[in-house]
Amino acid sequence: MPSHSPVVAGLLPALMLVMALHSLPTASSAPAETNYDESLVGPFVLPDVLAGPDEVPASSEAAWKKTTRPHQFKLLEKYVYGRKLPPVPVAVVGEVERAEVDLGSSKGIRLQAKLRLGTAADAPTTSVLLYLPKTKKKVPVFLKLNFRGNQAETDDPGVWLPTGWVPADTRIKGIADNRVTAASRGGLQRRFPVASMLGRGYGMATAYCGDFFPDRPDGRPQSVLASLDRPVSGELPKDEPGAIGAWAWGLSRILDWLVTLPEVDRSKVIVVGHSRLGKTALWAGACDERFAMVVSNDSGCGGAALSRRNFGETLTVITERFPHWFCPMLAEYAGREIELPCDQHALLAMAAPRPLYVASAEEDRWADPRGEFLAAVAAGRAWKLYGLPGLGTEEMPPINTSIGEMIGYHVRNGTHDLLPYDWTQFADFADRTLLGKGRPAVEATPQADDHSKELLAEFQPDQSLLPAPPPADATLLIAPGIEPKFTSMAGGPINWEVEDGSLVATRTKNHANHIASSVMFEDADIHAEFMVSPLAHGNSGLYIHGHYEMQIYDSFGVENVTSQDEGSLYRFAEPLVNAARPAGEWQVYDIRFIAPKRNADGSLKSAGTLKAWLNGQLVQDGVTFTAPRSPYIPYRHGVTDYLRGVEKQLKATGKGPLFLQDHGSPTRFRNVWIRPLP
Ligand code: GCU
C-alpha cells in the first residue's frame, strides 16, 4: 500500500466543531493524515469492470447485459450500498398543486405534490417540487434530491416548507434547532437554477433527502427503511442498505410519479446529485435504468472517485464519520481497499449505455477530482461494448473544459459546490446526447464510406502459394535476409528468437512481450504467415495499430467459432467460417485495414473497416468500428514511455504500428509485409 503523506492540517478549533457536526460537508475537516500529494498515491490495479462471475470479461453487449452487469451490480450491492430496495405503490395525497410562476424573462409552471410511498395509512411521504417550462411539448426533466428542503432551493415564496428534522447549518439563514423557517428560502438557490434551465426547455424537480432518511448516524428508525420492513436497530446484515440506498430508492419513487405526468417526457428524466447526493444519483442510476442520463457532481469517495486511490477522503474516514450511508460491509474494507472486489468505476459503468456526466471541482481535493476522472475513463469499456464512445481520452482536460461523448467530464475551477457553470455543462451534454442537438454525440451503427467499401470489394489476395511472393511495392517486416523491422515494447531491440528464418514469440509471464513494427501506417494491406504451437492454445495475434486484434489461436476443428477464435477480430467480430489449420502448419492472413477517420473537431468522418482472408477463405468482410476494439491494448497493458509516444503519434497522425502479440505461446512468424494504401 502507498504510504500516507505527512500533510499537517493545523485545524482551527472552529473547524473541529464543524467536524463534530458530522453531516456538514466540508473538506477542511480532513484528518491530518489525508494525502493530497499525487506522487504518494502509489500504484494500484482496478478490478476488471467487464468481468462476470467466472472472471471472464464480457466481449459483447449481450454478455454485458445478461451476465456481467448483473454480477457487477451485485458486487456494488454486497460491498458498498446494500441491497436494492423493492418498489412500492406511489400515490398523490390530495391534489397536485399547480401555479403559474414568474421567472423574470419567462413564465413557468410550479407543481407541488405530496407523495405517499406505500399503501399503509402511515406510509412515509415526500414533497416534490417541480418546475416546468410553458410549452405544449413533453419536456426532459432534471431530478435531484436536496440537503435542506425544497424551500432552500428557490426563493419562490409559494414553496412548501419541510416540517421535520433538517441538519444544522450555519451557512444559510433560517435553520434553528434542526427546523427550517421561511428565512431559509433560497439559501441554496445557486444549486438549482430554475429560470435558466426552464429557458433551455428542461423541467427541474427536487425533494428533500431527509424525507427518505434523515442524514445522521441515528436516522435509520425515522427512515423509509422501517416501512419497507428492514431492520432499523441492532446488528444489521452486512448488505443492509443505508441512507444512500434509501435516498436512491426515493429518487425512483419520485420517478414513478414523474412518468405519469403528461407534461414530462418519461424517456428523458435525468438524475443529478451533488456530493453525498451525487453518490446517491449514481447509485439511483445503477438501480433504475429508467433514468435516461446520470449526473454526478463532486461525488468523491463512495461516489465517482476510485476507492483504491489514496488521495483525499478515504473509506476509513467516510465509514467512520458517515456509518449510515453505506452497507456495513464497506467499513470492513477500510484500509484494505485493494481487496475490494469492485471499485467505483463499476458504479459509473452501471450507467452504460446511457449518457453519464461526471463533474469535479479543482479545489475539491477531498473528493479527488483525478480519481473521479480515472473512474470515468475506466468505466468507458462498458460503453465500448455497445459500440459507443466514452470519454475519448485518458488525459484530464484543462480546467473549465467539458469533454466526452457518451461520458462527459469537466473539472471546474473553485470549490466543492454545484454551480451554474456545472448545470450549463449538464444541459449542453443532455442537449447533445438525449435531444440530439448540436454535435452528434452518438455514433451508433457507423457506416464505412463508399470509397472504403470499394477498396474492400477489390481485395482478393492469392493465398494459394506459401510462402507468398511479396508484391513489388510491399514493405517487408519479416523476410529472409533482412533485420526484422520490429522493436520491443520499450522501443529497443527485440528478444524474439529467430529460427529457420522465422521469428518465434518469446514468452513472458505477463504476456506483454509484444513486438511493434517500426514502420507506421494508416490504411494498409497486411500479410502475415504464421504457425501456431499447441502450447497455450497457440494464442497470439496481429494487433493493428494496437487497437484491433486479428486473432491467432489453435482453433482447428472448432465447430462453432466465436470472437475468440482464429479469424475473429478479437472479442468483437467472429469469423465468417472456421478457416484455421492445425498447429504446426503454416497459415496465412491477408488483411485490408481502413482506419476510422475523424474531422478536426473530433467528430467521426467515416468508420473504420476491414476485410480479412485466412488460408484462402474470407473470414471478415467489412465489419465497422469507430473506436479501439481490443480489450488488451498494448498502450495500457505493459505500457512504456516509448508506447506512450507511439499512441500520441497515432492520435495526431492516424498512423500506428502493427504489433505481433506475445500471449504465452511460441507462435512463429515469417514473411510479414505491409502495403500502406494511398
Ligand atoms: C463530506 C463527506 C463527503 C461528502 C460531502 C457532502 O465532506 O466527507 O464524502 O460528499 O460531505 O456530501 O457534501
Side-chain angles (χ1 to χ4, degrees), residues 24-27 147 275-276 279 298-299 301 313 318 322 325 366 416:
L24 279 187
T26 170
F147 290 76
S275 208
R276 68 199 66 184
K279 309 180 208 301
D298 302 354
S299 62
C301 182
E313 187 172 26
I318 203 166
F322 307 101
W325 285 358
W366 182 237
H416 186 72

Side-chain angles (χ1 to χ4, degrees), residues 4-10 30-37 40 365:
H4 288 266
S5 113
V7 175
V8 182
E33 68 274 17
T34 304
N35 178 39
Y36 285 134
D37 182 346
L40 297 177
R365 296 184 308 159

Side-chain angles (χ1 to χ4, degrees), residues 32-326:
E33 68 274 17
T34 304
N35 178 39
Y36 285 134
D37 182 346
E38 193 57 45
S39 71
L40 297 177
V41 168
F44 58 85
V45 177
L46 287 178
D48 186 345
V49 73
L50 300 188
D54 49 8
E55 294 194 0
V56 177
S59 61
S60 66
E61 177 187 328
W64 166 257
K65 280 194 215 150
K66 188 163 165 260
T67 321
T68 312
R69 188 187 189 278
H71 173 67
Q72 294 288 330
F73 181 80
K74 273 192 199 128
L75 294 178
L76 291 163
E77 280 187 305
K78 178 166 175 189
Y79 294 96
V80 190
Y81 304 103
R83 276 177 196 276
K84 175 180 161 180
L85 294 160
V88 294
V90 172
V92 177
V93 180
E95 296 277 307
V96 175
E97 184 196 271
R98 281 168 189 265
E100 193 161 287
V101 284
D102 197 345
L103 299 164
S105 52
S106 60
K107 290 201 172 10
I109 318 276
R110 181 213 318 123
L111 275 70
Q112 294 190 89
K114 186 171 177 180
L115 305 181
R116 168 168 292 120
L117 315 171
T119 46
D122 62 347
T125 60
T126 183
S127 293
V128 184
L129 169 65
L130 167 66
Y131 289 98
L132 294 168
K134 278 190 104 180
T135 160
K136 292 215 166 66
K137 283 195 263 162
K138 286 180 181 287
V139 296
V141 172
F142 283 103
L143 166 63
K144 67 159 215 175
L145 294 182
N146 63 62
F147 290 76
R148 302 288 183 265
N150 298 346
Q151 84 299 340
E153 300 290 303
T154 164
D155 57 9
D156 177 349
V159 172
W160 302 342
L161 301 182
T163 50
W165 180 93
V166 294
D169 194 338
T170 48
R171 291 163 308 172
I172 63 171
K173 286 191 284 180
I175 299 186
D177 300 329
N178 298 112
R179 293 284 182 277
V180 306
T181 66
S184 64
R185 288 191 189 284
L188 290 169
Q189 61 179 317
R190 65 180 185 281
R191 293 188 177 168
F192 199 59
V194 174
S196 62
M197 289 295 122
L198 263 60
R200 296 188 60 152
Y202 289 90
M204 294 283 280
T206 191
Y208 169 47
C209 70
D211 289 350
F212 310 101
F213 195 123
D215 189 8
R216 43 176 217 255
D218 63 356
R220 193 175 293 266
Q222 281 77 48
S223 77
V224 292
L225 293 168
S227 75
L228 297 170
D229 293 330
R230 302 308 313 165
V232 290
S233 58
E235 184 146 347
L236 300 169
K238 292 261 160 62
D239 62 353
E240 185 60 24
I244 293 178
W247 293 334
W249 177 88
L251 284 162
S252 284
R253 301 295 69 81
I254 297 172
L255 180 60
D256 292 343
W257 174 66
L258 289 177
V259 299
T260 66
L261 298 175
E263 297 94 334
V264 170
D265 182 341
R266 54 185 299 162
S267 68
K268 295 193 177 64
V269 178
I270 303 163
V271 63
V272 190
H274 169 61
S275 208
R276 68 199 66 184
L277 298 176
K279 309 180 208 301
T280 304
L282 290 168
W283 182 234
C287 291
D288 194 334
E289 294 186 70
R290 294 175 302 163
F291 287 114
M293 173 174 141
V294 183
V295 183
S296 148
N297 193 72
D298 302 354
S299 62
C301 182
L306 294 171
S307 301
R308 276 169 172 72
R309 268 173 59 86
N310 167 34
F311 192 101
E313 187 172 26
T314 59
L315 290 188
T316 305
V317 178
I318 203 166
T319 55
E320 251 171 48
R321 291 189 183 171
F322 307 101
H324 58 296
W325 285 358
F326 304 94

Side-chain angles (χ1 to χ4, degrees), residues 12-23:
L12 300 167
L15 293 176
M16 299 291 282
L17 178 75
V18 166
M19 216 171 129
L21 287 175
H22 249 303
S23 59

